Amino acid sequence: MAELGIQAGDTVLLVWAQPSGPAALQQCAEELRAVAGAGCVSVENMERLLLSSHSASTFDWVLSGLLADSSSTHSSETLAEMARVLKPGGKLVLEEAVTGSEAQSVRTVEKLVSALKLSGFMSVTEVSKAELSAEALSSLRTATGYHGNSLSKVRVSASKPAFEVGSSSQIKLSFGKKPERPALDPNAAKMWTLSANDMDDDDVDLVDSDALLDEEDLKKPDPASLKAPTCGEGSAKKKACKNCTCGLAEEQESKEKPKTNLPKSACGSCYLGDAFRCASCPYAGMPAFKPGEKIVLDKKTLTEA
């Protein structure tokens, strides 16, 4: 365990799971106590980690699944609990069985790295990869039901950010006085100022806008000269161009639409009948009709009216 970088006085949480035996667990715990100290190492079963009473930010190190015959998988709840009990800046080192292809019961290295990041860890790094022991492989297949041949054990290291969840820090802002803008040169400001007194000044040359127009500019142009020369060419009947701007399109629309001298409706419900007409409706007393239809009453109706 010395290769992990554990120093004397560091608090360590050793997490184990089945099928790790008591002898291997005791040997690993004694090696850790020899490096960190007798009272600095705690041992916890993975299945009871969520039920433990460890306070937040207690350990400098969390070691999980490092025993030779371990084949445990870490759920998102377990990873979140490990992040909770770690001190800010604490280290996590775990080993887990992974597969080379997508599977429901066993995840890939990429999915494991993603799960660690979602649990709040940073600097997630794959340290090494090795083959599973026969006992660990048999236990994993029994627990997960996965019988693929691409299983291996990967060791991953990660660290907790150097701050607690929900912590805050004061941002130093400078509310000092802003530097004053330099004053404008009075002579420069006067150069761009034109007062009423300057109108009579002989040194100021003012241009008469009417003098810019000659007689040709004042003539009203001929409407025929405003039309595009190619508008409507090539056919017996003139046809307006697309996006016509010479007025031919409006002229053709006015000729095509028949002019009707029908009274205009103010409410838009005159054609429905007297039940929907207002008191001043010009169609009062007439039968219902279709919108836009010209109403013609026969002589009998006019006589009865």
Side-chain angles (χ1 to χ4, degrees):
M1 297 298 176
E3 71 275 6
L4 298 178
I6 300 176
Q7 300 178 359
D10 290 348
T11 53
V12 182
L13 175 62
L14 178 62
V15 181
W16 66 280
Q18 297 293 341
S20 300
L25 177 61
Q26 183 178 0
Q27 180 182 357
C28 183
E30 290 177 354
E31 292 179 1
L32 289 173
R33 292 189 180 98
V35 177
C40 297
V41 179
S42 300
V43 181
E44 194 70 57
N45 184 272
M46 184 179 296
E47 296 180 357
R48 299 189 60 82
L49 180 61
L50 297 176
L51 303 177
S52 63
S53 58
H54 298 295
S55 303
S57 304
T58 303
F59 301 98
D60 297 298
W61 292 84
V62 173
L63 309 178
S64 178
L66 300 188
L67 300 182
D69 53 352
S70 177
S71 60
S72 59
T73 57
H74 300 78
S75 63
S76 57
E77 293 81 6
T78 301
L79 294 177
E81 179 64 16
M82 292 178 178
R84 187 187 70 86
V85 299
L86 270 175
K87 294 180 181 179
K91 303 292 184 180
L92 167 68
V93 179
L94 61 84
E95 289 187 359
E96 182 174 323
V98 295
T99 179
S101 57
E102 293 291 338
Q104 293 183 352
S105 54
V106 183
R107 54 191 168 191
T108 61
V109 179
E110 292 76 14
K111 290 294 182 72
L112 176 59
V113 172
S114 177
L116 286 167
K117 292 181 179 180
L118 292 176
S119 299
F121 290 98
M122 57 182 294
S123 303
V124 183
T125 307
E126 180 183 345
V127 179
S128 61
K129 184 180 290 188
E131 297 294 330
L132 284 169
S133 63
E135 186 178 358
L137 182 60
S138 176
S139 175
L140 179 65
R141 288 177 174 176
T142 303
T144 61
Y146 181 77
H147 298 282
N149 298 323
S150 59
L151 288 172
S152 60
K153 178 183 284 189
V154 64
R155 174 176 289 191
V156 179
S157 66
S159 61
K160 183 178 178 178
F163 53 86
E164 285 290 356
V165 176
S167 60
S168 60
S169 178
Q170 184 178 4
I171 300 177
K172 295 182 180 181
L173 299 176
S174 176
F175 294 99
K177 293 184 178 180
K178 296 182 179 180
E180 296 182 359
R181 296 181 179 179
L184 295 177
D185 187 2
N187 296 328
K190 185 178 179 181
M191 183 181 299
W192 296 98
T193 304
L194 186 64
S195 64
N197 298 330
D198 295 329
M199 298 297 180
D200 299 331
D201 195 344
D202 296 336
D203 296 335
V204 179
D205 295 332
L206 298 179
V207 178
D208 186 4
S209 58
D210 294 335
L212 300 176
L213 301 176
D214 53 17
E215 295 182 358
E216 293 295 331
D217 296 329
L218 299 177
K219 291 182 180 180
K220 185 177 180 180
D222 185 10
S225 64
L226 299 177
K227 294 185 178 181
T230 59
C231 189
E233 290 184 358
S235 60
K237 184 179 180 181
K238 286 188 176 182
K239 184 177 180 182
C241 303
K242 187 178 180 181
N243 300 326
C244 178
T245 58
C246 66
L248 181 60
E250 290 80 359
E251 181 181 348
Q252 291 180 349
E253 288 181 2
S254 61
K255 292 180 179 179
E256 292 176 359
K257 292 182 179 179
K259 295 183 179 180
T260 57
N261 296 325
L262 298 177
K264 293 184 178 180
S265 172
C267 61
S269 303
C270 300
Y271 68 95
L272 297 176
D274 286 345
F276 301 91
R277 295 168 180 162
C278 53
S280 60
C281 183
Y283 295 98
M286 297 184 182
F289 55 91
K290 296 181 180 180
E293 181 182 4
K294 185 177 181 180
I295 305 302
V296 180
L297 300 180
D298 55 9
K299 294 182 179 180
K300 183 178 179 181
T301 306
L302 292 173
T303 304
E304 291 178 353

